[in-house]
Every structure is written in structure tokens, then in C-alpha cells.
Amino acid sequence: MAARWLLLAWAGAALLAWFVPWPVLVGSGLAAVGSARYGVLVFGLGLLALIAWRQGPSGRALLAIALAGALHTLVPVASLVDQTPVFADRVDCRLEGKVVGLVDDRADRRRFTFAVHAARAAHPDDSVASRVCQQLLPSGRLELSDYTRPPERVELVAGVSYGLTARLKPLRGHANPGGFDYRRYLFRHQILATGYLRDHQPIELGRAAGWRAQIDRWRDAARSRLQESLAVAETRTAGGPLSAGAALLHGLALGDRGELSDRQWEWLLATGTNHLLAISGLHVGMVAALAAWLVRVGWGRLPISRGWPAQRVAALAAVLAAWSYALIAGLSIPTLRAALMLTILLLGVLMQRRWRLLDLWLIAFVLVLVIDPYAPLGMGFWLSFAAVLLIIVMIRGRDKLWRPWELLRLQWLLTLGLLPLTWGLFDRVAFASLPANLLAVPLVSMLITPLALLTLFLATISPAAAAWPAWLIDGLGEGLFAVLGWLVAVFPDSNHAPPGPLALLLFALGVLWLGLPRRFPGRGLAILLLLPALMVGSSRPAPGQFEAVVLDVGQGAAVLLQTARHDVLYDAGPRHGRFDTGEAIVLPALRALDVSHLDRIVISHAAMDHAGGLASIRQAFPQAAVVGLTEGQFGISGQGMPCRHGTEWLLDGVRFALLRAPRGSANDRSCVLRVAGQSESLLLTGDIEAAAEHWLLRHARLDATTVLVPHHGSSSSSTAAFIEATGARRALVSAGFLNRWGHPREPVSARWQAAGATIWRTDRDGALWLERGRVRAERSGLWPFAWRRSAWVRPLVEP
């Protein structure tokens, strides 16, 4: 019992360290925390430490273990933050190092992780570059891209060292409600900077040393063999690309999701089956069980078997097989957790000791945190350990799990038990999860995964021999994805904003209570805990009021406007090649903000940075009327309406008015939208320039408490007369990070500030929320807090 409490104290403190803004507390003092909840948290921690200290030696030991757990997280985090270079603009570095992990190779670009061994400035007289390049040492990691056309690319092999020149950029990611936190992803993988290759001919320096580099080379070679097998299968069948086979084969054999299409990934998410493409503990256990069975069957026939019990030799073989599979699959958190649990369990077999399942789970939990302190930043960590804990809790007292009804019930309880976590992490309720998993789990685990491993084994011998199982996997995968697509179409839409943290916590407790065995009392009362999450919707503005969110879409614009019962979108975000911010940023934000119906989409003008994401948004909201585009522009048909100056409409007591100059450039003819509530007004200006501003001064009402700065802060806009006419207290800028035009221009910012307006920028602050008469920045609320250095510089919430 004492050991269990010590493990819990260590793990709890190691996790809690991620949820407390320690840099702010230490760097600014307790008086400058800026939020009452952090003060309460610090007070609570101090009170718990005092109670533990007064418990005598046992309490002090518990406190010491907890402190060790917290330091185990904080020390590497502090070291990483200290090593991460802080610089304002791009720098060129000449680098030597190795490629870590598999290269994500696509037609438009390839991306890879690069571990630096030597670095210097590409131009010796550049002092800033010299400082930044030197700070990458020792062994700093970079996320690099290569935009060279495929025929001209030099092959990059994982686990091999190269010399190259890269242009590095400071770490940054879009910060939006419901969006993917790229900055957290980079921090989780200990990336110090991102960038792209400046020279298109990296110089190979030979194989990198170390066992990790050797495993990377094995994985790279295995992927090449699998690709050759798929090519042979495509030739033999005379069909098209084996897209489903490639996605499943690479995902299940190597843990590589690079072959998954966007549609396939969406189907997996919407049906709650995405866990199957992350090599799970079930797959690791299956490989270990197969190895143990083969050894146990054949061991007695070998001359050396005397004196070595078959059970112990089989256990050792299972451990070796589990770790081999986990390593070849990239040693993700689920595979690491499974390999650790299996190792501990089978060590008990070797030592003739039985483990309690909860103790086994707890030891594996602590060991994962010991090995990888950054693991809690990944969703796979929480999903993997939560699923195993639910299974352990639910199988207690049930000794007839082999019956089909009990297996069905276990799958239902597991789906329901993970619902609060998946709802909170992905903003989804996968209504099709139960039927989809009942089909996909046995099909993938019992048939497709063994075939994938067989294909991998045959491909290492002869790609031609592996072609037929690869073709079979493609056929099974096509059928699986067809069924998943049908389930997505039949069941209700899975996109639903999660409730607040308290309601979600009560929902999780209620679900856990319902999943307990029948002998536990009061299970009917657990339904009451579910009601707040199911019945309480998201808060909306009062009638006559509105709220706005200027999304962080880079060099472009997308603004959501919400009244008491209606939603309007102004601009749809840019599209750059394959990266569609409408799909990647705007739609997840709408989902997180519980937008189920868009009344109108107002497009300022037909430019890619303002309308590029429209097609994706229209696909999700086909009923929304589009204002500002005519039929044929950006795929609009039927519902496109031109922007006419003077058009007005009223929604829940909030007045919307369209303003538009009749002549001039495309920028000058941008559709301007003025939104006026009872106490606030907002002017959304598109890309208007000086000529349009002068025309609007004479023909329109421009006063507003908040203005979206015209043309992203270009020097061709924001004339002094226009700024004075608006009388704005807040100037919001939607601009891309380190954009090539230098928006917002310094003179423009100075003019707005001289007029008494506070400048807020999406490139610096993330998405900007205008609510209840003040502005707050999305970046201020992002977890974890270790690198949110901007919080030390200035408040990210308007006082």
C-alpha cells in the first residue's frame, strides 16, 4: 500500500507540473499571477504540503517523492525553454546532423525532423544568426520542410547524417478555439525552431551512430519495401493506386499515417475508430501472444530445452517480440505503454509472482512519465491509459467475458467511458462509434493487422511475395472505409462542441459510475450527473448584443459574428496549395463554438486570402447564403449575392450594414460590414485602401468602438482621416506571422495608437475575442503554460 501511495504522489506531481504556470509564478512573483484561480491553486498546494509535513516521516517521504515528480517534469521543460532561441526574423544556418524518424514525403513538399550536431551562421557577419545557430547545440531538434520538386529532390534517409543550409523561423502556431495547437505539438517533440531548406542538394555525411538511428534506418528500409510491394500489387491488378491498402499497411505495420487521405481520417474520427490506426496495446499484445505460442509449441522439440521451462522461455520470447514491434512502429505512447505492461506482467511469470491489474497499470503509467516527461502533451497518452483503466475497472467481477453478450457490453461501456475524453479533446460525439467498432475492431485486429505484419515480413525478403497480401489488405480496407463512410452518412453529425469543464467532469463521473458492476449501489443516480452536459448549451450574447472572434488564419481573414440566436461569418480564410484554412482552422473553430447553422457568409472580395476556404465551409453549411460573390466565383452557384452598398438587416436586435465603394481596384471594392449592437460596434473592412476610405468617409457611417484594420495593416490603408472617423478604441489586425509584406506596417500601427486605439494582432496574440465590451487573446488560455512568454510581457486580456 505504501509503495502504491508513493507512486501516486510521484505521478500526480509530475502531471500537476504541466497545469501550473510555474514560469509566471517564479518570474513575476505571486502578486503578479493575474488570476485568482492560480492563487487558490498555490494556496491549496501549500496547505497540502503542510498537512503532509505534519504527518511525520511517512508524510515527509510522500512530500519528497511528490517534489521529485514535479522536478522530473520541470527540469527538462526549463532546460528546453532556455535552449529555445528567441529571435524576431528568419535566419540562415549551415547545419550538420541526422534525420530523425520517417520523412513525410509528398508531391508538394516533404517534411522531416533534423537533430543538429553542428551549426553555424550561413553568413559569418550575421551576429543574430550566429547566436541563434549556436543556441541549437547540443542536439537541438528542428522541423524542416523541403519544397523542391520531386524529380529534383535528393533522397533523405532516416538515421543518416546530412549537411544542409536551412532558413529558420521562430516557433509559432495558429491559436484558435478548437484548432490544432501546432506550437504544443512542437514543444511535445522538443523542436527548437522550424524552417525550410535553402539549398536543394543536402550532402550525405554517412550513417549516424546510435541505436535509435539504426532503428530509424530499419524503419525507413521497411517502408521502402512496403512501397515496392504496393507498386507490384498495383501492376499485377492493373488497377488504380491501392490507397486503402497503403493507409492501413503503413499505419499498422510502421505506425506511419502519412498515407491516410483527409477523407479517410475524417471517417475514422467521425466513427470513433481512429484509435485503430494508432498501433495499440491490443496489436502489441497480439504479436507477443503469437510469439509466445510459437515458442511454447516448438520449444520441447529442441535439444537445449531441458531444464528450461517452456512457460518461462515463451514469456521471454513474448517480451522480445513486443519490444521489437514497438520499436519498428516508432515507440509511440500506446506501444510503449503496452510493451511496459507486458514486460512487467511477464517478469512476474518468470519470478512466479502475480500482479494486480491496477498496480500493473500504475507502474506502467509512472514508467512512461519517467521515460518521456513530455508524454502528457499528447492525446495518445490520455486515451491509451484511460482505455486500459476503464477495461480494468469494468472487467472486475465479470468472469464470463468470453460470452458474446458480455463482449458486446464491454465494447459499449468502453465507447461510453471514453466519450467524455474524446468529446473534450476532439469536439466530437461519435454516434456511430459502437457499430463501427464492433465491425472494425475484430476486422483490423484479427485479420488486417496479422496480414500487415505478414506483408512486412515478406516484403523484407521479396516485395513480389508481399504483393498479394498487400492487395488483400487493400480489398478489406476498401470495404471497411466504405462501411465507415456509410455510417457517417446515416448517423447524426459527430461535430459537437463540448460542455464546460465542470459539466464534462460530472459527465465523466456519471459514465464511470454507470460502468461499475451491478453490485455497486445508486447506479441510477449516476444519470443525474450526465444531465448538465446534455442539457446546458453554450452561452450566447443577450438580445441586442453581439460577440466576435477574429480567427488566426495567417495572412487572410475570417471573423465569426454571434448574436443571441444567429451566426454570421465574414470572410473564409486563405488557401495555400493543399493547406485550406477553411477546413483546418475555420470549421474546427465553428465546431468548438457550437455553430450548427450559418445564416450568412459575407466575403469581402474574391481574393484567395479572404475566400480560399469558402468551398470547405460551404460543404459543411450548404444552406448559408453567400454575400459578396456572384455565381461562378469560388464555386458559388445559386445562392451567391452581390454586395450592395446600403443593404441592412437586423438579427436579434443587432444591425448589420454593408458598405462598398462603387469603383476602384478589387481591394477598394471590398465589401465592408458594420455591426452595431446596443453598446458595441464593429467595422470589418476587408482590403480597402485609401481611395475607398475617402469615398466611405463621404457616403457611409464609419464610427465603431472596434475596427478590423484595413488590408492587414498595409501602408496603402488606414489614412489619418479614416482612423479619426472611426473613433475606435481597439484596432484588430489579422496578419500572417512574419508575412513577406511586413504587415502591419509600423507607421500604420503608430497612427492607430496615436488616435488612442489599442493594437491587437492575430500573428502575436492568436484568435481575438470581442466579448462583453473587451478583447481577449486565445493564446493566453492555451495549455500548457511553459512557453507562453508573451504572458510575461503584457496582459492578453483587455482590462
Side-chain angles (χ1 to χ4, degrees):
M1 178 63 73
R4 191 179 305 160
W5 279 107
L6 291 176
L7 289 174
L8 283 172
W10 194 96
L15 287 177
L16 187 62
W18 284 112
F19 291 88
V20 179
W22 298 108
V24 178
L25 293 179
V26 175
S28 305
L30 297 181
V33 172
S35 176
R37 67 179 184 270
Y38 295 142
V40 172
L41 179 60
V42 172
F43 176 78
L45 290 173
L47 185 61
L48 288 175
L50 179 62
I51 293 173
W53 185 264
R54 292 177 64 87
Q55 296 303 310
S58 60
R60 294 169 189 173
L62 202 65
L63 185 60
I65 289 293
L67 181 61
L71 290 176
H72 183 75
T73 296
L74 293 174
V75 169
V77 166
S79 176
L80 180 62
V81 171
D82 184 63
Q83 188 183 359
T84 302
V86 178
F87 53 109
D89 206 345
R90 300 173 178 89
V91 298
D92 290 346
C93 294
R94 183 64 188 171
L95 307 170
E96 293 181 6
K98 64 180 178 181
V99 175
V100 178
L102 297 178
V103 178
D104 182 11
D105 201 342
R106 307 196 179 191
D108 57 337
R109 61 105 182 103
R110 59 178 172 178
R111 184 175 295 160
F112 59 96
T113 301
F114 193 73
V116 180
H117 298 157
R120 66 179 187 275
H123 307 288
D125 57 341
D126 190 338
S127 59
V128 175
S130 297
R131 176 184 61 80
V132 171
C133 299
Q134 286 299 316
Q135 200 169 348
L136 300 176
L137 302 172
S139 300
R141 289 192 171 196
L142 307 173
E143 185 89 357
L144 299 179
S145 298
D146 180 13
Y147 296 100
T148 310
R149 293 185 302 172
E152 302 172 1
R153 290 177 184 169
V154 173
E155 184 182 10
L156 292 176
V157 179
V160 174
S161 296
Y162 294 90
L164 50 87
T165 301
R167 174 159 290 179
L168 304 184
K169 300 182 294 183
L171 291 179
R172 204 268 183 187
H174 296 288
N176 292 286
F180 174 66
D181 190 349
Y182 183 57
R183 182 66 182 85
R184 186 174 72 194
Y185 166 84
L186 295 173
F187 196 80
R188 188 262 177 276
H189 293 281
Q190 303 166 56
I191 304 297
L192 302 183
T194 61
Y196 54 92
L197 299 192
R198 291 286 288 163
D199 55 353
H200 305 312
Q201 302 293 328
I203 302 172
E204 183 175 336
L205 303 177
R207 294 188 173 189
W211 64 272
R212 288 183 178 273
Q214 181 60 55
I215 291 173
D216 282 340
R217 289 193 291 272
W218 286 344
R219 296 186 71 211
D220 193 279
R223 185 174 67 170
S224 298
R225 288 286 188 161
L226 288 179
Q227 290 171 340
E228 292 177 23
S229 301
L230 288 165
V232 173
E234 291 171 7
T235 303
R236 288 182 177 177
T237 56
L242 306 183
S243 59
L248 293 173
L249 190 54
H250 284 257
L252 295 171
L254 298 174
D256 175 22
R257 298 184 191 175
E259 299 294 330
L260 268 176
S261 67
D262 293 337
R263 169 171 285 191
Q264 289 169 340
W265 183 241
E266 173 62 26
W267 284 344
L268 291 169
L269 283 175
T271 56
T273 53
N274 54 304
H275 62 93
L276 294 173
L277 263 292
I279 297 176
S280 65
L282 178 62
H283 301 151
V284 175
M286 184 179 61
V287 170
L290 178 62
W293 178 77
L294 290 174
V295 170
R296 191 161 187 174
V297 168
W299 181 250
R301 302 177 184 178
L302 298 176
I304 62 172
S305 63
R306 295 179 182 178
W308 294 83
Q311 183 184 25
R312 296 189 180 185
V313 177
L316 182 60
V319 170
L320 293 176
W323 281 104
S324 298
Y325 185 37
L327 289 171
I328 202 70
L331 207 61
S332 62
I333 293 300
T335 57
L336 176 61
R337 187 263 310 156
L340 286 171
M341 291 186 71
L342 192 65
T343 301
I344 299 166
L345 178 65
L346 295 180
L347 281 175
V349 172
L350 294 175
M351 297 184 299
Q352 297 182 343
R353 174 177 177 174
R354 294 174 62 88
W355 292 97
R356 293 183 58 183
L357 290 179
L358 276 174
D359 291 340
L360 187 64
W361 179 91
L362 180 58
I363 293 172
F365 189 86
V366 171
L367 287 177
V368 167
L369 290 176
V370 170
I371 295 170
D372 185 3
Y374 299 90
L377 299 184
M379 295 179 182
F381 172 83
W382 301 100
L383 289 171
S384 176
F385 279 101
V388 174
L389 182 61
L390 281 171
I391 292 173
I392 291 173
V393 171
M394 291 172 183
I395 65 174
R396 296 185 68 179
R398 296 189 174 100
D399 54 355
K400 298 179 179 179
L401 282 174
W402 55 270
R403 293 182 177 179
W405 171 251
E406 286 294 330
L407 289 174
L408 176 63
R409 188 168 183 270
L410 180 62
Q411 181 62 56
W412 159 248
L413 290 175
L414 187 60
T415 300
L416 188 64
L418 289 177
L419 175 59
L421 193 56
T422 56
W423 197 1
L425 291 177
F426 300 107
D427 300 334
R428 290 177 179 270
V429 178
F431 295 101
S433 178
L434 181 60
N437 277 282
L438 287 176
L439 167 69
V441 168
L443 178 63
V444 172
S445 299
M446 303 303 174
L447 188 56
I448 297 180
T449 298
L451 281 172
L453 295 175
L454 175 63
T455 305
L456 179 62
F457 174 73
L458 293 176
T460 58
I461 301 172
S462 168
W468 287 114
W471 172 82
L472 182 57
I473 290 173
D474 182 73
L476 293 171
E478 288 288 353
L480 173 63
F481 283 118
V483 173
L484 295 182
W486 177 78
L487 289 173
V488 170
V490 170
F491 279 80
D493 186 13
S494 67
N495 298 328
H496 288 274
L502 180 58
L504 197 61
L505 176 61
L506 293 175
F507 187 86
L509 292 174
V511 166
L512 185 61
W513 197 348
L514 286 174
L516 294 174
R518 295 180 181 178
R519 66 175 180 269
F520 284 84
R523 294 172 72 246
L525 297 176
I527 298 176
L528 297 177
L529 298 178
L530 307 180
L531 296 181
L534 299 177
M535 300 182 64
V536 178
S538 59
S539 62
R540 304 280 301 191
Q545 305 291 340
F546 72 91
E547 294 179 358
V549 184
V550 181
L551 297 176
D552 176 15
V553 294
Q555 190 68 13
V559 184
L560 175 66
L561 302 160
Q562 293 189 299
T563 65
R565 296 186 303 275
H566 296 85
D567 298 286
V568 175
L569 184 68
Y570 181 83
D571 279 341
R575 181 186 181 100
H576 307 289
R578 290 184 55 183
F579 183 61
D580 179 1
T581 60
E583 180 181 21
I585 294 177
V586 180
L587 284 180
L590 297 181
R591 184 164 62 238
L593 296 170
D594 204 18
V595 175
S596 58
H597 179 87
L598 275 179
D599 294 272
R600 286 178 176 86
I601 302 174
V602 180
I603 300 298
S604 61
H605 61 305
M608 188 61 72
D609 59 334
H610 292 256
L614 181 60
S616 300
I617 298 169
R618 285 273 294 163
Q619 187 175 1
F621 299 96
Q623 82 290 341
V626 178
V627 179
L629 295 179
T630 57
E631 188 168 349
Q633 291 181 303
F634 288 89
I636 293 298
S637 61
Q639 292 187 340
M641 296 182 293
C643 175
R644 292 189 173 89
H645 179 74
T647 302
E648 294 187 359
W649 67 90
L650 198 66
L651 295 176
D652 304 320
V654 178
R655 185 169 300 279
F656 294 77
L658 299 180
L659 314 173
R660 184 170 182 265
R663 64 185 64 87
S665 65
N667 284 345
D668 276 327
R669 286 181 284 112
S670 292
C671 189
V672 176
L673 178 64
R674 185 177 185 272
V675 187
Q678 292 178 353
S679 58
E680 286 288 323
S681 53
L682 173 64
L683 191 66
L684 303 173
T685 56
D687 278 352
I688 61 171
E689 298 178 327
E693 291 178 0
H694 291 318
W695 188 91
L696 291 173
L697 283 171
R698 298 191 303 270
H699 298 90
R701 180 180 178 182
L702 297 179
D703 62 295
T705 55
T706 305
V707 173
L708 183 66
V709 173
H711 202 179
H712 320 290
S714 168
S715 57
S716 61
S717 306
S718 296
T719 60
F722 177 81
I723 294 174
E724 183 181 358
T726 65
R729 301 195 306 268
R730 311 176 196 91
L732 313 182
V733 181
S734 180
F737 181 63
L738 292 181
N739 64 84
R740 59 180 176 173
W741 298 277
H743 295 161
R745 292 285 188 173
E746 187 59 37
V748 172
S749 298
R751 285 200 295 270
W752 282 101
Q753 290 173 330
T758 303
I759 302 286
W760 296 82
R761 296 167 44 172
T762 58
D763 62 333
R764 182 180 60 196
D765 306 319
L768 303 174
W769 299 67
L770 176 61
E771 53 187 9
R772 294 184 292 277
R774 65 176 186 172
V775 174
R776 69 176 173 88
E778 177 70 19
R779 200 173 297 280
S780 64
L782 291 181
W783 171 85
F785 312 98
W787 60 81
R788 311 297 178 185
R789 295 188 176 189
S790 55
W792 305 8
V793 179
R794 66 181 188 85
L796 292 182
V797 178
E798 186 178 3

